[in-house]
Amino acid sequence: MTTTPGDGPPIRLGIAGLGLAGAMMIRAAVIHPRVVLAAGADPLPRPREAFARDFGARVYAGFEALCADSEVDAIYIASPHEYHADQAVKALAAGKHVLVEKPLALTLADCDTVIAAAEAAKTHLIVGHTHAFDPSIRAIADLVRGGTLGRLGMILAFNYSDFLYRPRRPEELDTSRGGGITFNQVTHQIEIARLIAGGMVRSVRANVGVLDPSRPSEGNCTAFLEFENGAAASLTYSAYDFFDSDEFHGWVAEGGADKPAGRHGLTRQGLLAAPGTEPDRQKDLGYGGRRLPPEQPHLPHFGTVIVTCAKGDVRLSSNGLLVYGLDGLSEVPVPRGLGRPGHGDALDALWAAMREGRRSSHDARWGKATLEVGLAVLQSARERREIVLAPQVPVF
Ligand SMILES: NC(=O)c1ccc[n+]([C@@H]2O[C@H](COP(=O)([O-])OP(=O)(O)OC[C@H]3O[C@@H](n4cnc5c(N)ncnc54)[C@H](O)[C@@H]3O)[C@@H](O)[C@H]2O)c1
């Protein structure tokens, strides 16, 4: 094993779930100077074989075998939502540090089980990656917290994507099993707003929709979040592949790659033109299937985010922040960090916790608070009323 001088040995990372999220984290880990890819687990043979071949890493069909691997320090859990809580508890019990994908769990009771396990463990648990780890979002949060722009008033976040028409597992189109955009996509916006506004959502009013009966889970959402500190956030998401809000971000894709302009509707047309191929195409999204863009000339983003404070507005540019202040407009570059921005920042947080003992705000209680907001979005839409939450956890 190579070591990073002065910093301690790299984290020996195990990846549980070699699908799309797994492939994205592998792409970040492989260039991260403080991480080595040690092992992987997935019930599907093809991504396992590709991972073993590419990294000379050990692979397992079952999650428990990955937990039993004594040469794995930390496990990134990127299996489908329904496994997150149980696998997080098992990994902690095996003495592993954990980076677990959002949502932390599908119920608040399961979140409580993970919280208890994390607080009893000697290892760290971080919920991520989410776009709240993006360097530009963390830079906005730091700017707001630093106070030079005055009191935070409101946050606008909107994203229009093709999410619903990318090939999906059946449960991803079943809300009762965590399907639809609320758990998967709106979660990013909730985390972004919580990080910038300090974390403590007071109440939620929302409306969600299922506009295409052939994709029978939520595909559009508009939510109004009010924070304990008086700030508010307006979150809008559409997954119907009509308008693409990357058009408002210079045709930079979510991950920071350049994106061809004017491809509206192609994902929906492609899927509907080839009925019956969805299961195979869904598996092709995993490791060793579709090739993800290796280059990342710009910072990652999650649609448009505009933050209004007493002395200025801030929004994302492709490589930093645009600050519209009392003295006019200035662009503030945002450093890209050690590894691949976004996913690499989640790995940085894992490193900081494991090697420097610096706890991340994105812990199990944070993950539960984010799920509380997501569940309140669905409840508010169902009951057509404002939902007042129990006190949430702040950013620390
Ligand atoms: N943060 C992000 O940017 C991001 C992006 C995509 C997905 N995700 C999250 O990652 C998770 C997986 O989503 P995906 O899009 O990668 O799905 P996917 O279907 O592409 O991949 C899931 C993988 O997990 C494997 N798997 C199934 N059961 C397993 C188990 N018990 N143990 C280990 N692996 C198992 C599957 O075979 C598959 O290879 C979801 O919870 C989603 O919210 C996060």
Side-chain angles (χ1 to χ4, degrees):
M1 184 204 298
T2 57
T3 56
T4 314
D7 281 335
I11 298 168
R12 298 172 300 181
L13 189 66
I15 310 273
L18 298 167
L20 177 61
M24 294 198 292
M25 189 58 83
I26 290 164
R27 187 179 50 166
V30 82
I31 61 162
H32 198 291
R34 291 170 160 175
V35 175
V36 289
L37 287 162
D42 197 295
L44 295 177
R46 203 203 52 193
R48 275 205 315 269
E49 285 156 15
F51 183 74
R53 184 190 61 230
D54 289 355
F55 302 107
R58 297 173 297 284
V59 285
Y60 307 103
F63 180 77
E64 287 75 8
L66 180 64
C67 289
D69 186 328
S70 61
E71 295 188 17
V72 165
D73 306 315
I75 297 180
Y76 166 59
I77 298 174
S79 53
H81 302 345
E82 66 204 81
Y83 300 110
H84 292 180
D86 184 51
Q87 292 187 339
V89 170
K90 284 183 174 142
L92 290 167
K96 308 300 184 192
H97 299 270
V98 173
L99 180 62
V100 53
E101 264 301 338
K102 48 77 189 165
L104 174 60
L106 290 173
T107 67
L108 299 182
D110 281 352
C111 288
D112 286 335
T113 305
V114 181
I115 289 169
E119 292 183 350
K122 292 192 170 59
T123 49
H124 292 272
L125 178 140
I126 295 173
V127 185
H129 152 270
T130 76
H131 280 279
F133 282 99
D134 288 355
S136 44
I137 297 300
R138 294 191 301 116
I140 293 183
D142 289 345
L143 193 62
V144 168
R145 234 184 325 278
T148 49
L149 286 180
R151 190 165 70 83
L152 172 67
M154 63 180 186
I155 300 164
L156 169 68
F158 65 84
N159 199 344
Y160 288 67
S161 80
D162 61 359
F163 175 82
L164 211 57
Y165 296 100
R166 298 174 203 155
R168 294 273 154 230
R169 287 176 268 109
E171 63 268 27
E172 290 183 289
L173 297 173
D174 178 348
T175 308
S176 70
R177 300 173 69 195
I181 59 171
T182 315
F183 298 97
N184 199 317
Q185 296 288 281
V186 180
T187 292
H188 287 294
Q189 295 178 313
I190 295 169
E191 293 246 323
I192 288 169
R194 288 191 60 226
L195 191 78
I196 294 170
M200 311 260 297
V201 181
R202 193 195 82 85
S203 73
V204 177
R205 179 71 176 95
N207 176 288
V208 296
V210 181
L211 297 178
D212 178 353
S214 76
R215 312 297 281 177
S217 190
E218 290 74 26
N220 63 290
C221 169
T222 185
F224 176 81
L225 275 47
E226 191 180 56
F227 289 84
E228 297 283 1
N229 60 9
S234 163
L235 315 178
T236 292
Y237 195 102
S238 168
Y240 285 109
D241 198 23
F242 293 117
F243 173 56
D244 179 344
S245 51
D246 288 341
E247 184 171 347
F248 287 179
H249 201 75
W251 289 113
V252 174
E254 180 179 337
D258 288 311
K259 181 175 185 176
R263 292 162 42 90
H264 304 286
L266 290 187
T267 310
R268 176 168 22 82
Q269 289 159 21
L271 192 67
L272 300 183
T277 62
E278 189 161 9
D280 289 337
R281 294 177 64 188
Q282 197 278 326
K283 285 177 194 145
D284 277 347
L285 295 178
Y287 187 75
R290 189 184 69 156
R291 193 164 171 267
L292 295 168
E295 71 287 351
Q296 189 184 25
H298 312 289
L299 292 173
H301 71 101
F302 198 70
T304 294
V305 176
I306 308 175
V307 175
T308 295
C309 296
K311 296 180 192 167
D313 288 335
V314 190
R315 71 179 180 94
L316 310 183
S317 66
S318 59
N319 280 303
L321 305 182
L322 293 167
V323 182
Y324 302 75
L326 295 173
D327 300 323
L329 169 63
S330 56
E331 181 159 13
V332 180
V334 171
R336 293 171 67 90
L338 272 184
R340 197 180 162 85
H343 287 78
D345 291 80
L347 294 172
D348 289 345
L350 186 64
W351 169 275
M354 288 174 61
R355 298 285 186 253
E356 297 166 357
R358 282 194 282 140
R359 283 181 56 216
S360 167
S361 267
H362 300 255
D363 63 7
R365 287 186 186 275
W366 173 275
K368 179 186 176 186
T370 293
L371 180 70
E372 273 170 338
V373 178
L375 293 174
V377 162
L378 292 175
Q379 186 187 354
S380 171
R382 216 169 36 242
E383 299 177 5
R384 302 178 85 171
R385 67 180 180 90
E386 180 187 24
I387 306 298
V388 177
L389 302 178
Q392 295 225 298
V393 289
V395 175
F396 57 81

